[in-house]
Amino acid sequence: MKPRILVTGGTGYIGSHTVVELQQAGYPVVIIDNLSNSNREVIDGIERITGIRPDFVEADCTDMAAVKELFDKYPGIKGIINFAASKAVGESMHKPVLYYRNNLNTLMNLLDIMGERDVKGIVFSSSCTVYGEPDVNPVTEASPIKKATSPYGNTKQISEEIITDVINAGAPFKSVILRYFNPVGAHPSAEIGELPNGVPQNLIPFLTQTAMGIRKELSVFGDDYNTPDGSCIRDYIDVVDLAKAHVIAVERMLTDKSEEKIEIFNLGTGNGLSVLQLINEFETATGVKVPHKIVGRRAGDIEKVWANPEHANNVLGWTAATPIADTMRSAWAWQCKLRERGIM
Ligand code: NAD
Ligand code: WQD
């Protein structure tokens, strides 16, 4: 029997896909989520895919009493994956305290309990946002960390520093910090996927909602960037590929495959795609048109960023294997499922 893993934010977008992969790899999972950006039906989706219903505690990670209660109720937790965080960049500009409190107090509570309860490692969800606008692409893990342009981004930089300080101070556990690029798509079963709140700020949910006719047209934010077609370039990574990297990271921490107490990995495909290229990929893969128009630049956007994923490829033996066409089809199938269920 593999050891129990605590997944914070496990009913969220990336968390739910990771719970599926963990369960399919034989790990018993307990989820803690306060449902601030997800709902409990996600657990039904996970069960439909895996045949296993993960344990679920509805609680806030910033509530240490609730976290302790969870550890009392579910003994033998050996690893934590910490997805729980507030993640809307724009909102963080208006509500910085909410972001610092939620993201940092969550992490610090987890680091405290790990020492008390003999947890061997924590996987932390970081972001390519720590690189800001890179001087050189693709970015490696050694690329400079730029000053954060939002409180959200700053919570990721500070969290990485907190983890590093705590482990360097002799904490008896390990950490794998994963810097995600742009996670997109959904589980191929269309049982789970991304559930944006209100008008989506991110490209793919806005695009699929436009393709569905929920939004009139997609605004492409700028075609005057220094890129081949003028629109911004990102590294879009399939969420299931991303989820699989977490299982490898957990295994690595728990089986002492590495001497290192802290490891950092970029998780991306290594391929940059522009906004216009992505629209084209979606239309070709699904046969569905996406009405769109070019508008002005969005304040604060990075012009281009994509990953050098060689460290993860070589050390974790992991690659982002899913072709972008499949990812676009899964994103569309999920949008269609939401319509079928009358959700959107
Ligand atoms: P998400 O909002 O779908 O999932 C986060 C989950 O955490 C939600 O279910 C929410 O209800 C829960 N949560 C938030 N605060 C909590 C708290 N205090 N206690 C308990 N539960 C709490 O987000 P996601 O896209 O799945 O992102 C997961 C992680 O990955 C986040 O840390 C995010 O910052 C990071 N990340 C996401 C992206 C992205 O583009 N989606 C990119 C880089 C990094
Ligand atoms: C992608 C591209 C937009 C919407 C954000 C966070 C980052 C990380 C990932 C967590 C950009 C363009 C978008 C639209 C558009 N998250 N776009 N029309 O900005 O790369 O990154 O999510 O850590 O921290 O900042 O993602 O999906 O918002 O945008 O043209 O309606 O799509 O300009 O070039 P972004 P995104």
Side-chain angles (χ1 to χ4, degrees):
M1 181 81 160
K2 289 190 175 169
R4 181 176 265 153
I5 307 298
L6 173 63
V7 180
T8 79
T11 47
Y13 174 44
I14 306 169
S16 56
H17 290 81
T18 301
V19 171
V20 165
E21 296 302 321
L22 282 168
Q23 293 193 155
Q24 288 178 338
Y27 288 96
V29 172
V30 54
I31 293 172
I32 179 171
D33 202 300
N34 63 5
L35 304 180
S36 57
N37 199 36
S38 56
N39 62 62
R40 58 174 73 240
E41 284 76 65
V42 172
I43 299 165
D44 302 331
I46 294 170
E47 186 178 9
R48 281 195 292 272
I49 297 169
T50 62
I52 304 164
R53 194 164 185 86
D55 289 315
F56 174 66
V57 174
E58 181 181 347
D60 198 305
C61 298
T62 64
D63 176 354
M64 191 54 162
V67 173
K68 284 193 168 157
E69 207 177 297
L70 182 153
F71 273 80
D72 290 340
K73 186 167 177 199
Y74 298 99
I77 293 170
K78 289 294 164 209
I80 297 179
I81 308 182
N82 181 30
F83 294 106
S86 303
K87 65 157 183 179
V89 177
E91 185 187 47
S92 80
M93 307 291 267
H94 305 295
K95 299 179 182 167
V97 173
L98 186 155
Y99 275 68
Y100 287 114
R101 182 177 290 127
N102 195 38
N103 297 4
L104 300 181
N105 286 353
T106 288
L107 175 64
M108 288 188 290
N109 277 350
L110 296 174
L111 294 171
D112 269 344
I113 196 107
M114 288 178 76
E116 286 172 23
R117 305 293 178 107
D118 190 32
V119 181
K120 300 213 168 312
I122 180 164
V123 179
F124 180 74
S125 300
S126 191
S127 167
C128 67
T129 190
V130 302
Y131 299 115
E133 179 79 63
D135 301 321
V136 180
N137 275 299
V139 293
T140 71
E141 291 78 1
S143 296
I145 302 297
K146 298 280 179 68
K147 186 174 163 38
T149 54
S150 71
Y152 166 73
N154 208 20
T155 68
K156 293 301 176 192
Q157 294 193 5
I158 296 170
S159 294
E160 290 196 3
E161 288 175 357
I162 292 173
I163 292 169
T164 306
D165 287 347
V166 167
I167 288 183
N168 286 342
F173 49 78
K174 293 184 170 184
S175 182
V176 176
I177 293 171
L178 300 176
R179 293 179 179 155
Y180 316 152
F181 282 65
N182 286 58
V184 292
H187 195 270
S189 64
E191 292 288 357
I192 53 172
E194 190 171 11
L195 254 187
N197 239 334
V199 181
Q201 305 301 307
N202 295 115
L203 179 58
I204 284 295
F206 201 104
L207 185 156
T208 56
Q209 288 189 13
T210 308
M212 183 55 81
I214 300 167
R215 314 275 160 209
K216 195 165 141 271
E217 60 189 350
L218 169 70
S219 294
V220 175
F221 297 138
D223 70 345
D224 57 351
Y225 285 100
N226 182 24
T227 60
D229 65 22
S231 63
C232 293
I233 295 179
R234 298 287 184 275
D235 187 333
Y236 296 95
I237 171 163
D238 188 276
V239 67
V240 175
D241 288 338
L242 188 66
K244 288 180 173 157
H246 292 74
V247 180
I248 298 172
V250 161
E251 212 137 84
R252 190 169 170 82
M253 288 188 317
L254 300 189
T255 56
D256 286 323
K257 279 195 180 143
S258 158
E259 296 286 296
E260 303 293 329
K261 298 202 78 180
I262 310 174
E263 294 184 288
I264 301 182
F265 297 98
N266 282 345
L267 296 182
T269 65
N271 297 316
L273 277 181
S274 75
V275 178
L276 292 169
Q277 281 176 315
L278 196 70
I279 295 170
N280 188 44
E281 291 285 355
F282 179 88
E283 291 182 336
T284 309
T286 63
V288 182
K289 286 284 167 209
V290 183
H292 60 278
K293 64 165 183 223
I294 311 288
V295 300
R297 293 181 176 198
R298 179 171 73 175
D301 254 338
I302 303 294
E303 179 172 275
K304 44 181 179 270
V305 58
W306 66 93
N308 177 333
E310 279 172 22
H311 188 49
N313 300 160
N314 297 335
V315 176
L316 299 179
W318 167 93
T319 47
T322 307
I324 190 72
D326 290 357
T327 305
M328 294 298 100
R329 279 189 284 268
S330 71
W332 180 235
W334 170 243
Q335 184 67 62
C336 294
K337 184 56 84 76
L338 289 175
R339 170 53 56 95
E340 200 181 299
R341 290 192 192 148
I343 297 170
M344 226 172 260

